[in-house]
Amino acid sequence: MNCDRCDKPIPEGEAERVPVHGGSGGGTTVVWHRGGCPQSRTHPVSYPLGRGR
């Protein structure tokens, strides 16, 4: 299974499933690394290297 946030593989037992509520995407469940993505600790996914400069 891959993370919906960073698109990296998630080892067994380290996935966190989060239901999305609201008008946009309501009823959807996202899966990401429990405790945060390894990549997002240094570079947020929404601002990859080279963007926003």
Side-chain angles (χ1 to χ4, degrees), residues 3-7 31-33 35-37 40 45:
C3 177
D4 289 324
R5 189 183 287 161
C6 70
D7 202 33
V31 179
W32 54 50
H33 289 93
C37 301
S40 67
V45 175

Side-chain angles (χ1 to χ4, degrees), residues 3-19:
C3 177
D4 289 324
R5 189 183 287 161
C6 70
D7 202 33
K8 304 255 186 211
I10 302 175
E12 178 121 7
E14 292 187 22
E16 180 177 354
R17 296 180 181 274
V18 180

